[in-house]
Amino acid sequence: MIEVSHGPIDTAALQQSLSNPAAGGYCAFEGWVRNENEGHEVHRLEYEAYEPLVISEGEKVLAEARERFPFLEARCVHRVGLLELGECAVWIGVASPHRDEAFKACRYIIDEIKVRLPIWKKEHYANGDSGWVNCERCAAHGIAD
Amino acid sequence: MKTITVCYFAIFREHAGVAEETLSVDAETAQDVFEFTRSRHGSTEPNGHCKVAINDHMADWDTPVNDGDTVLLFPPVAGG
C-alpha cells in the first residue's frame, strides 16, 4: 500500500500497522530532510507529487518487490508540501518471515520510488534561492541521476 | 490539428506559468507535444530524463496522441 501524506508521517503507527504473527523480521527506511545538498545550505524542502500516478506506479513497485523478495506486508508513505530540516519525507516498512527479504524489499522499493514516481523536490537555500532537484542545477551540469 | 490538454508539473509549471492549458497542436506523438510546449514556453530541459503520461497512464515519447487526450509532462523526478 502506498500513500501520499500532506502532514507529518506517524512512523510508530505505520510500524504497528505491519505487525503480523508470521513476521520474524521488520525493516524500515526513513528519508529525512537534511541541511545540505551539493554544497548548498538547505533550509527546507518542498515536495510536489502527481498523486494518481504516484499511487498506480507505487503499487507496481510494491508488487515487483513482493515478487522478487516475498514479504508479508509492506507500506510506503511519501510526504508532500513544505518540510523542515529533520522531518521524515518518505517512510517504507516491510515485514517478512526472515530478515533478508525485508532488507532487500525495502531497498528495492526506495530505489525504484526515487527514479519512477512523479514526485519533485524543491530545495530552499539559506541564501534565499531555491531550485528543483535534478532539474536546473543538474541540467546545467549535464547530470541527472 | 488535435486538441490536447497539457498538464505541467514542478519546473515545467513554473516555466509555463500555468498548471494546464488546452492547445491546438499538429502532433502525432507525445514527443511532438513536448517539442511544441518547449518552444512555446522557452524551456530548455532535455527530455532524456523527463517522463510523460497520457490520460493518467505512463507513456513513451513515441506514443501516439489522439484528439482530446490529456498529456502530462513530468520533469526529472526526485522523490525520496
Side-chain angles (χ1 to χ4, degrees):
Chain A
M1 178 192 216
I2 181 157
E3 300 155 72
V4 172
S5 173
H6 294 259
I9 297 174
D10 184 346
T11 58
L14 286 163
Q15 176 183 338
Q16 193 62 36
S17 75
L18 293 187
S19 103
N20 183 316
Y26 160 78
C27 187
F29 172 80
E30 295 184 22
W32 296 349
V33 179
R34 71 164 183 270
N35 65 357
E36 182 276 340
N37 194 29
E38 297 180 6
H40 297 261
E41 188 182 346
V42 175
H43 266 196
R44 61 175 63 89
L45 291 182
E46 184 178 354
Y47 284 94
E48 172 180 336
Y50 183 61
E51 294 189 30
L53 276 174
V54 166
I55 302 301
S56 58
E57 281 297 298
E59 292 295 348
K60 284 184 200 167
V61 169
L62 292 178
E64 291 163 13
R66 185 189 288 273
E67 192 161 316
R68 286 169 167 80
F69 316 108
F71 53 71
L72 296 166
E73 316 276 351
R75 285 184 75 173
C76 173
V77 181
H78 203 298
R79 181 97 181 262
V80 294
L82 264 181
L83 278 76
E84 303 296 331
L85 296 181
E87 284 198 277
C88 181
V90 59
W91 180 92
I92 293 157
V94 180
S96 58
H98 303 284
R99 68 185 182 282
D100 200 39
E101 290 81 6
F103 273 116
K104 287 177 177 169
C106 204
R107 179 67 193 248
Y108 181 85
I109 293 165
I110 183 62
D111 287 351
E112 293 297 308
I113 279 175
K114 286 178 79 78
V115 296
R116 285 169 56 181
L117 268 50
I119 299 172
W120 301 276
K121 175 163 51 184
K122 190 178 205 177
E123 294 173 335
H124 293 266
Y125 304 115
N127 64 6
D129 284 348
S130 62
W132 292 99
V133 174
N134 288 349
C135 293
E136 287 134 319
R137 275 187 293 115
C138 291
H141 296 162
I143 56 166
D145 57 359
Chain B
M1 298 293 269
K2 293 168 182 163
T3 300
I4 304 285
T5 298
V6 182
C7 297
Y8 304 101
F9 298 87
I11 195 171
F12 287 167
R13 184 186 59 253
E14 291 183 356
H15 282 159
V18 292
E20 71 171 72
E21 58 187 346
T22 299
L23 305 167
S24 288
V25 196
D26 182 14
E28 296 298 322
T29 66
Q31 176 74 42
D32 296 337
V33 174
F34 186 59
E35 296 292 344
F36 181 86
T37 62
R38 196 153 52 173
S39 59
R40 176 178 169 85
H41 297 298
S43 169
T44 56
E45 195 73 43
N47 74 345
H49 296 98
C50 301
K51 297 179 192 298
V52 62
I54 300 174
N55 303 331
D56 274 356
H57 294 284
M58 296 305 297
D60 296 315
W61 291 109
D62 59 2
T63 301
V65 291
N66 298 303
D67 192 46
D69 278 351
T70 296
V71 174
L72 304 113
L73 297 177
F74 298 148
V77 300

